[in-house]
């Protein structure tokens, strides 16, 4: 059996880290080869070596049996290797077509652009994907899911023989994922080899032919996807058994209501949303992309204005028009985009933790008390189990799960009674997920009210004591947590569209 | 349904178009308001001769603003355009006055010198990864010093080159159409603007200006040689600065080596008033042109109204802040 790509004994070192230790990986034509492993296991590093972004420090790479060493993304493209990056890397100020064909613009003489040809070619690519989108639409105005599709179109436009997909479905809803899988099937029949990186276990079973597991930069095993149970894959990934359990739901009916919202509305995004959370309760908010979950959180937190509605904290109406007011009322919001909104990634763990409440560490002359900040930071590092060599480590060097814990530490320092977590485990690996779950449960047990917004149904079902489901800006129902609620129940509410009247209004 | 998603590109596109045109309208409307305001305040303002004086005063700053616009759209900044302009003028002086070569050589020397200086800045930024602010700050001082060294700190006059002062002050247009006595300097400004706008919107170089300013890493990962393009953009900006060097030398009929500092800030101010985003990825030549005109109209109008020069500077500063504030208000998601 010949291989499209074969990597043998790949070595990679970063300052202070042995990122890849003699890793083997191969890819056949027409197969989907899933690459699994916790964050920091070396998946992305291995793929960046394959696609010419990083040089390797050792080992060999064969393409079609010939030694190859792509030293730039362009060199890899010439070898037929394309990659869809985990983080969206589009140019928001350009149009879809300009993004898809960047670097390969149809040109006329003297470097002049042929914009009409550019849009035509992009339209053809979209047509192959059966994607209905105007090539002239500016990318910045698209939803994340649409941007992801543009990114995929861009990678496919190179006609790659090897396509690396690094978490392509992180921002897609079920219908879009189904479409993506259809595209992948088409590519398979054309003989394209696909490397598929994902944290979503269910996807591996659906599309992968083989699975390679990495752990701590080492190759653990390569298995047949159909014959290997998921629990075995997870076990190999984390190096121990992880059990998926339903939550133990405490009786909070006697507890005081910590947060209540009534009739929250904002344009078409949020329509007449009402719910309440008691102390010690975890309320899950489920729904598809664009259902308005994050928008609700942002209104409660004062990040966006509201058209109508009332917010009551501990029974008292509060007028929250600014995040500052929300924090004073004891509401914390942990954004889904940690790097942009949650952390100063170039600063130390200590500085990030203390940032939430610098006044506490400042004397009357305005001088910061480093010793006190260090004590506090070390305290949280221990309490939350943040894995970092010291409190002076830069946050960007921590793994996703530990970064999330730093964000949580910030909000705990503020002593918030209501904590809203927006996609708390996005981009976090399986092992660290359970730790975050345990942390959220501990916070609830301390009497805080927790709201968890999540696109992953298993996550909501694992955590939530009650599950609020949204669809098109409306709250379509609240389900009890625990074993009796199934994914089907949630999906039924998540797809319950508005009445015919509202539908007609939207069609205009 | 087999499509991945439904779309409403029309509305999104038209919304964006509206926003872009709106910003140009905002700057343009301010210009009109200023013109009307000043002509009501003083009958001397709306004279043909005064209008031409305003355009003539815009020409140097306008050309510099166009050069800086290209760099700013990439997400960079060029602080060296003022002293680079002087340096190209001094080199022209060396070629024409010291060496006695024909006029055309002087013109080519100015543009080539500018392109070379720009490619140096571009190399510092792209290859040596020095932040544009620092790289061009260093370049600004280097070129200021070199101008003084080469000229021996004395002005170089162009008395031996007949026709040099015609570059800025003559009027080719006026000879053909006596009713339109537009000085050559202004004509050159408009030509430079038209060419730059074409390059920016219709060529690969222009596309990469926007792309680099929008998301440089993404462009690099797409297999584009970003370093080379960035150097090319700085070089093009430098060549345009060379044109500004010719204009100012011609207007003064001399290369003044001590001149230059401060011009870069005026040019950046014009770009900002014209609505180009300092964070890169957005901007237009027309906007910068209008920005430069607004500044010239202000200076001229306030002078006609006999406002002290010190106050003119204060007003210009306030206008910059107002312009950027208005732009941000407009961008704010409702």
């Amino acid at each position: 059996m010949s291989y499209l790509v074969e990597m043998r004994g790949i070595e990679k070192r970063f300052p202070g880290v042995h990122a890849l230790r003699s890793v083997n990986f191969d890819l056949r034509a027409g197969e989907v080869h899933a690459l699994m492993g916790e964050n920091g296991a070396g998946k992305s590093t291995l793929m960046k070596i394959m696609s010419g972004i990083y040089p390797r420090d050792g080992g060999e790479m064969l393409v079609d049996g010939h030694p190859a060493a792509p030293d730039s993304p362009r060199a890899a493209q010439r070898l037929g290797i394309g990659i869809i990056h985990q983080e969206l890397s589009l140019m928001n100020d350009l149009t879809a077509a300009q993004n898809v064909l960047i670097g390969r613009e149809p040109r006329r003489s003297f470097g002049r652009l042929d914009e009409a040809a550019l849009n035509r070619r992009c339209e053809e690519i979209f047509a192959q994907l059966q994607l209905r989108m105007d090539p002239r639409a500016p990318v910045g105005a698209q939803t994340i899911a649409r941007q992801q599709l543009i990114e995929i179109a861009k990678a496919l436009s190179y006609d790659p023989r090897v396509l690396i997909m690094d978490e392509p479905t992180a921002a897609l809803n079920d219908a879009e994922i189904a479409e993506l899988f259809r595209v992948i099937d088409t590519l398979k029949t054309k003989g394209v080899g696909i490397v598929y990186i994902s944290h979503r276990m269910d996807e591996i079973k659906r599309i992968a032919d083989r699975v390679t597991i990495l752990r701590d930069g080492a190759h653990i095993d390569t298995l047949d996807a159909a014959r290997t149970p998921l629990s075995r894959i997870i076990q190999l990934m984390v190096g121990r058994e992880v059990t998926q359990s339903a939550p133990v739901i405490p009786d909070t009916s006697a507890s005081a209501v910590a947060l209540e919202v009534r009739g929250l509305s904002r344009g078409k995004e949020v329509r007449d949303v009402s719910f309440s959370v008691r102390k010690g309760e975890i309320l899950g908010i489920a729904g598809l992309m664009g259902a308005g979950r994050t928008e609700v959180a942002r209104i409660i937190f004062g990040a966006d204005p509201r058209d109508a509605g009332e917010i009551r904290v501990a029974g008292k109406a509060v007028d929250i028009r600014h995040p500052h007011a929300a924090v004073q009322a004891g509401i914390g919001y942990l954004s889904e985009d940690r790097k942009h909104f949650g952390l100063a990634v170039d600063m130390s763990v200590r500085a990030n933790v203390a940032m939430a409440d610098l006044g506490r560490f400042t004397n009357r002359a305005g001088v910061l008390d480093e010793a006190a900040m260090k004590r506090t930071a070390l305290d949280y590092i221990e309490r939350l189990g943040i894995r970092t060599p010291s409190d002076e480590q830069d946050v960007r060097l921590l793994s996703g799960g530990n970064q999330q814990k730093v964000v949580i530490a910030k909000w705990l320092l503020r002593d918030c009674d209501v904590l809203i977590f927006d996609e708390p485990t996005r981009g976090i690996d399986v092992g660290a997920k359970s730790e975050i779950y345990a942390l959220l449960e501990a916070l609830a047990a301390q009497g805080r009210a927790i709201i968890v917004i999540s696109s992953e149904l298993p996550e909501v079902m694992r955590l939530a004591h009650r599950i609020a489901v949204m669809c098109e800006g409306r709250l379509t129902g609240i389900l009890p947590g625990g074993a009796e609620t199934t994914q089907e129940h949630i999906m039924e509410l998540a797809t319950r569209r508005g009445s015919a009247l509202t539908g007609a209004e939207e069609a205009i | 349904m087999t499509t991945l998603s439904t779309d409403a590109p029309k509305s999104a596109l038209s919304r964006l178009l509206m926003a872009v045109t709106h910003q140009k309208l905002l700057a343009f409307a301010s210009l009109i308001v200023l013109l009307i305001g000043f002509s009501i305040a003083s009958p001397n303002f709306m004279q043909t001769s005064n209008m031409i004086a305003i355009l003539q005063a815009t020409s140097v700053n306008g050309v510099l603003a166009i050069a800086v616009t290209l760099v700013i759209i990439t997400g960079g900044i060029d602080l060296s355009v003022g002293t680079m302009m002087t340096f190209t003028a001094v080199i022209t002086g060396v070629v024409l006055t010291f060496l006695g070569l024909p006029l055309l050589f002087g013109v080519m020397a100015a543009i080539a010198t500018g392109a070379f200086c720009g490619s140096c800045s571009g190399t510092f930024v792209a290859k040596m990864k020095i932040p544009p602010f620092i790289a061009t700050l260093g370049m600004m001082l280097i070129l200021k010093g070199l101008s003084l060294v080469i000229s021996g700190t004395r002005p170089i006059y162009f008395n031996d080159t007949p026709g040099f002062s015609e570059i800025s002050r003559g009027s080719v247009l006026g000879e053909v159409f006596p009713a339109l006595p537009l000085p050559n300097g202004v004509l050159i400004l408009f030509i430079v603007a038209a060419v730059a706008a074409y390059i920016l919107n219709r060529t690969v170089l222009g596309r990469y200006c926007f792309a680099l300013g929008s998301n440089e890493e993404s462009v690099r990962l797409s297999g584009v040689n970003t370093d080379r393009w960035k150097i090319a953009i700085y070089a093009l900006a430098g060549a345009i600065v060379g044109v500004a060097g010719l204009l100012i030398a011609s207007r003064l009929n001399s290369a003044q080596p001590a001149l230059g500092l401060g011009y870069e800030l005026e040019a950046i101010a014009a770009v900002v008033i014209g609505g180009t985003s300092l964070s890169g990825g957005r901007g237009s030549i027309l906007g910068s042109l209008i920005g430069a005109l607004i500044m010239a109209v202000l200076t001229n109008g306030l002078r006609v109204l006999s406002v002290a020069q010190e106050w003119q500077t204060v007003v210009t500063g306030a206008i910059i802040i107002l312009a950027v504030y208005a732009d941000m208000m407009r961008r704010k998601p409702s």
Side-chain angles (χ1 to χ4, degrees):
Chain A
M1 182 86 198
S2 67
Y3 293 110
L4 262 182
V5 182
E6 215 179 338
M7 300 175 89
R8 291 194 209 124
I10 300 293
E11 291 279 334
K12 182 69 190 173
R13 288 168 194 277
F14 294 114
V17 189
H18 196 164
L20 294 176
R21 306 157 197 261
S22 189
V23 172
N24 297 327
F25 184 80
D26 51 58
L27 183 67
R28 295 175 191 145
E31 78 163 345
V32 174
H33 192 157
L35 189 53
M36 309 285 297
E38 296 191 278
N39 273 7
K43 304 175 306 253
S44 292
T45 308
L46 185 66
M47 288 306 111
K48 280 180 174 169
I49 289 173
M50 195 194 271
S51 56
I53 295 165
Y54 291 158
R56 60 179 186 258
D57 297 336
E60 59 174 348
M61 175 170 158
L62 303 174
V63 177
D64 296 326
H66 304 292
D71 56 357
S72 69
R74 172 151 266 179
Q77 280 162 12
R78 276 196 293 267
L79 289 168
I81 300 172
I83 182 164
I84 298 166
H85 292 282
Q86 182 177 5
E87 319 238 318
L88 283 173
S89 58
L90 293 170
M91 290 141 284
N92 284 339
D93 299 310
L94 303 190
T95 67
Q98 289 167 357
N99 265 283
V100 168
L101 294 166
I102 186 84
R104 296 162 298 152
E105 296 82 1
R107 300 180 190 189
R108 296 185 286 184
S109 52
F110 303 108
R112 290 177 303 149
L113 293 164
D114 189 346
E115 202 75 15
L118 178 85
N119 289 326
R120 251 195 332 273
R121 273 190 60 188
C122 184
E123 217 149 35
E124 287 164 20
I125 295 162
F126 283 171
Q128 282 169 26
L129 280 170
Q130 300 187 357
L131 170 61
R132 273 211 290 152
M133 195 182 301
D134 187 339
R136 285 167 291 267
V139 161
Q142 306 293 325
T143 61
I144 300 281
R146 298 294 219 73
Q147 294 184 5
Q148 185 80 55
L149 295 169
I150 295 171
E151 189 100 62
I152 291 168
K154 180 176 162 187
L156 291 179
S157 69
Y158 287 94
D159 282 330
R161 294 183 307 139
V162 175
L163 185 59
I164 303 162
M165 299 181 151
D166 197 348
E167 297 218 45
T169 58
L172 303 189
N173 67 29
D174 283 0
E176 288 159 339
I177 290 172
E179 274 308 307
L180 175 68
F181 286 177
R182 193 188 50 72
V183 172
I184 289 178
D185 279 335
T186 317
L187 292 172
K188 272 174 72 170
T189 56
K190 287 186 189 165
V192 177
I194 292 162
V195 184
Y196 193 91
I197 300 178
S198 175
H199 282 123
R200 295 194 180 179
M201 290 293 165
D202 50 328
E203 296 180 350
I204 303 307
K205 277 284 176 194
R206 274 168 73 187
I207 59 156
D209 299 305
R210 287 192 296 158
V211 183
T212 286
I213 294 131
L214 298 184
R215 187 169 71 227
D216 298 328
H219 176 262
I220 301 297
D221 209 347
T222 297
L223 301 157
D224 183 283
R227 279 195 295 247
T228 313
L230 280 181
S231 58
R232 172 83 186 135
I233 296 174
I234 295 173
Q235 194 191 336
L236 289 172
M237 280 170 60
V238 300
R240 61 183 182 279
E241 292 273 2
V242 178
T243 50
Q244 181 89 340
S245 56
V248 183
I249 298 172
D251 181 13
T252 51
S253 56
S255 313
V257 171
L259 172 77
E260 182 175 13
V261 298
R262 281 187 209 149
L264 282 192
S265 293
R266 173 177 160 75
K268 283 185 174 178
E269 295 170 329
V270 177
R271 310 180 206 199
D272 195 19
V273 169
S274 307
F275 62 83
S276 63
V277 202
R278 290 179 187 275
K279 283 174 177 263
E281 189 180 32
I282 301 180
L283 175 74
I285 303 186
L288 302 175
M289 290 286 289
R293 295 164 302 167
T294 295
E295 287 75 7
V296 167
R298 288 179 59 89
I299 292 171
I300 296 173
F301 191 58
D304 289 330
R306 59 183 188 273
D307 299 339
E310 195 187 8
I311 302 170
R312 301 173 77 90
V313 176
K316 272 187 297 199
V318 284
D319 186 23
I320 296 172
R321 293 179 184 280
H322 194 273
H324 183 69
V327 173
Q328 278 193 329
I331 301 174
Y333 172 62
L334 289 80
S335 156
E336 56 186 319
D337 193 342
R338 291 187 291 276
K339 279 177 195 157
H340 272 130
F341 304 116
L343 290 167
V345 288
D346 290 326
M347 293 173 76
S348 68
V349 174
R350 183 199 296 176
N352 269 285
V353 171
M355 191 105 60
D357 199 358
L358 271 185
R360 177 189 300 214
F361 304 107
T362 314
N363 69 16
R364 284 163 75 189
V367 179
L368 290 171
D369 183 350
E370 283 290 338
M373 286 197 284
K374 185 184 172 78
R375 274 196 304 280
T376 308
L378 288 176
D379 179 38
Y380 279 111
I381 288 171
E382 197 198 316
R383 272 165 55 190
L384 304 186
I386 302 173
R387 272 190 290 279
T388 168
S390 87
D391 64 313
E392 290 181 278
Q393 180 85 332
D394 279 2
V395 165
R396 72 190 145 82
L397 299 173
L398 303 185
S399 72
N402 284 304
Q403 287 185 358
Q404 183 67 293
K405 288 182 191 169
V406 174
V407 182
I408 294 174
K410 284 177 62 171
W411 289 104
L412 292 183
L413 182 64
R414 294 243 193 120
D415 226 7
C416 292
D417 293 325
V418 180
L419 285 170
I420 307 172
F421 292 85
D422 201 346
E423 305 286 0
T425 63
R426 169 164 294 173
I428 290 177
D429 53 67
V430 178
K433 269 184 187 175
S434 341
E435 283 184 43
I436 299 284
Y437 295 160
L439 195 52
L440 297 194
E441 277 164 350
L443 292 174
Q446 287 165 18
R448 293 174 210 266
I450 309 286
I451 297 174
V452 176
I453 298 170
S454 177
S455 299
E456 294 181 46
L457 290 185
E459 176 163 292
V460 177
M461 295 163 71
R462 158 78 181 74
L463 273 176
H465 303 162
R466 280 188 305 146
I467 302 167
V469 188
M470 290 187 69
C471 177
E472 293 179 347
R474 288 168 297 113
L475 192 70
T476 44
I478 296 184
L479 298 164
E484 64 266 34
T485 297
T486 63
Q487 296 210 9
E488 286 71 30
H489 292 136
I490 299 175
M491 284 313 293
E492 199 267 314
L493 288 174
T495 52
R496 189 180 284 176
R497 315 255 173 218
S499 63
L501 192 66
T502 355
E505 173 196 283
E506 268 179 352
I508 292 167
Chain B
M1 197 160 96
T2 52
T3 47
L4 282 170
S5 45
T6 52
D7 204 344
K10 284 273 150 43
S11 67
L13 188 68
S14 59
R15 254 187 291 130
L16 190 94
L17 273 177
M18 250 175 59
V20 171
T21 45
H22 187 169
Q23 169 56 16
K24 268 181 208 155
L25 277 180
L26 192 72
F28 192 65
S30 322
L31 182 60
I32 301 295
V33 168
L34 280 176
L35 287 173
I36 294 173
F38 281 128
S39 41
I40 292 170
S42 162
N44 298 328
F45 181 77
M46 247 327 168
Q47 305 284 334
T48 312
S49 59
N50 195 44
M51 287 297 111
I52 287 177
I54 288 174
L55 287 170
Q56 180 74 297
T58 310
S59 59
V60 169
N61 187 32
V63 171
L64 288 180
I66 290 164
V68 181
T69 305
L70 298 176
V71 174
I72 287 179
I73 290 175
T74 70
I77 190 94
D78 195 339
L79 296 177
S80 67
V81 293
T83 60
M84 194 193 293
M85 171 184 79
T86 303
F87 184 67
T88 60
V90 167
I91 295 295
T92 307
V94 169
V95 168
L96 294 181
T97 303
F98 293 179
L99 302 177
L101 292 170
L103 180 60
L104 187 63
F105 285 88
V107 172
M108 280 159 49
I111 294 173
T113 305
F116 174 75
C117 295
S119 62
C120 288
S121 297
T123 307
F124 299 152
V125 172
K127 293 287 182 195
M128 294 160 68
K129 311 289 174 214
I130 300 170
F133 188 94
I134 310 293
T136 59
L137 181 70
M139 205 63 190
M140 169 177 112
L141 295 171
I142 290 172
L143 293 175
K144 179 181 166 63
L146 283 179
S147 297
L148 291 165
V149 170
I150 292 172
S151 63
T153 72
R154 283 183 304 277
I156 307 172
Y157 291 95
F158 294 99
N159 296 328
D160 305 336
T161 311
F164 187 77
S165 64
E166 292 295 304
I167 290 177
S168 169
R169 291 192 281 197
S171 178
V172 174
L173 215 56
E175 282 168 28
V176 185
F177 308 103
L180 252 180
L182 214 56
N184 290 339
V186 178
L187 190 63
I188 290 172
L189 168 66
F190 288 148
I191 292 171
V192 168
V195 171
Y198 186 83
I199 291 176
L200 198 54
N201 296 310
R202 292 275 182 273
T203 70
V204 178
L205 188 76
R207 172 63 39 80
Y208 290 146
C209 277
F210 287 106
L212 285 171
S214 196
N215 189 340
E216 183 176 339
E217 181 65 4
S218 159
V219 184
R220 197 178 68 80
L221 292 182
S222 303
V224 175
N225 188 340
T226 48
D227 290 357
R228 204 184 69 197
W229 285 106
K230 207 185 265 182
I231 295 171
I233 292 162
Y234 278 87
L236 174 64
I240 295 174
V241 171
V243 175
L246 284 171
L247 286 177
I248 196 155
S250 160
R251 186 195 299 169
L252 305 171
N253 200 30
S254 61
Q256 301 283 346
L259 205 74
L261 274 186
Y263 278 76
E264 66 285 332
L265 297 182
E266 297 240 323
I268 293 168
V271 174
V272 167
I273 292 174
T276 293
S277 160
L278 276 183
S279 48
R282 272 192 296 258
S284 73
I285 298 293
L286 181 61
S288 298
L289 199 59
I290 292 173
L293 275 171
I294 286 178
M295 290 179 68
V297 165
L298 261 181
T299 312
N300 180 286
L302 292 172
R303 193 186 305 139
V304 168
L305 294 182
S306 315
V307 175
Q309 185 155 14
E310 302 78 66
W311 281 107
Q312 295 173 18
T313 316
V314 174
V315 171
T316 310
I319 293 287
I320 292 171
I321 292 169
L322 265 177
V324 175
Y325 181 67
D327 190 37
M328 285 173 61
M329 283 295 97
R330 188 182 57 79
R331 283 190 210 289
K332 200 173 171 182
S334 52

